[in-house]
Amino acid sequence: METPRTPDGEDRRIAALRALDVLDTPMEERFDRITRFASQLFDVPIALVSLIDQDRQWFKSAMGLDVRETSRAISFCGHTILTRKILLTPDALIDSRFSDNPLVRGTPYIRFYAGCPIYAECGSALGSLCLIDTKPRVLSETDLHALRDLALMVERELQRPESNILDEKTNICNRNGFSLLAEKGLDLCVRRKTSASLVFIEIDEIGEGKADEETDRILHQFSEYLNTDLEHSALVARVEKNQFVALLIDASTAAAELAMIKFKAAIEALRTRENWEHPLRFSHGVAEFKENRHSTVDKLITDADIVMYDNRKQLRYAARRELV
């Protein structure tokens, strides 16, 4: 195993990292949304925002990994900060730097690693946005370009946190934050020829007859379930008071509809467990991404909104017929 060397200007690098006052802080949605998106977009089980401290590797966000830090001596990211380009390890078992690394021979059994350096404003490399898989992989130039774009988003959040991309009540993306990431994801789907669908969800009559505190709690729990329980979901957002969207990667219209059936069952189980007084009813519409039609994220959202509205009309018409 090759222990990563100490880069030139290490004192300046550590000072820049400490000045951010981010080490040992709780995980935050503004970083988790990027690693969650990266994990889904690149189809890898682990995606990390890793920062290299004096003698440790610490994770500001760890999607698919339960630990928050490891020794710097065994870190892949310690090697990444030594270069100005993405560090690629297609198969760690045949890479002399990592073949006997305990993170390769043991949990999490790293075989593939791709790390893009993230920098402080002074130019020092602080860590990386990295992708990890338990099987050998290769990335195309298109993939590398997308990884660089996501790493730049991490840099921006570290240096100048965006205050207008998260919804205050639910802590997931708002419409602006969703558009920023969805645009990158759809561009990569086009280049990879991967399908994608957008689900538009509107909760019915939320807030009527409920205290503000209960409404806020329901919105927050609903948002958490969108993040964790909607299959194929790479990115979710609250776009209006009772309206949400979710971008599903590698999902046709049929796959998205199946995911929504399972999601509705999960929400009903949540309602029962949390003893909500009333059922949570919501309508949804699915629009499959078409490059020649959806030149912007807003156009895709609009199409899914139209489908949702049509679905709601059909359900109301069917309900009236049953009463006749």
Side-chain angles (χ1 to χ4, degrees), residues 170-185:
T170 62
N171 205 36
I172 62 173
C173 285
N174 59 20
R175 188 166 186 142
N176 182 46
F178 178 84
S179 295
L180 286 172
L181 273 178
E183 182 181 347
K184 301 294 183 184

Side-chain angles (χ1 to χ4, degrees), residues 142-153:
T142 297
D143 295 330
L144 296 179
H145 182 75
L147 181 57
R148 289 189 190 97
D149 284 346
L150 294 178
L152 287 174
M153 291 183 180

Side-chain angles (χ1 to χ4, degrees), residues 20-28 31 58-60 68:
L20 293 174
D21 199 24
V22 69
L23 293 172
D24 297 310
T25 57
M27 290 187 175
E28 299 178 63
F31 294 101
W58 181 80
F59 307 127
K60 178 57 180 173
R68 292 299 302 275

Side-chain angles (χ1 to χ4, degrees), residues 3-7 50 52 57 71-83 87 98 113 127-128:
T3 301
R5 65 174 176 82
T6 301
S50 173
I52 297 297
Q57 168 183 237
S71 166
R72 178 174 176 173
I74 62 173
S75 70
F76 283 59
C77 186
H79 293 271
T80 303
I81 65 171
L82 301 175
T83 179
L87 176 65
F98 307 115
Y113 171 91
S128 71

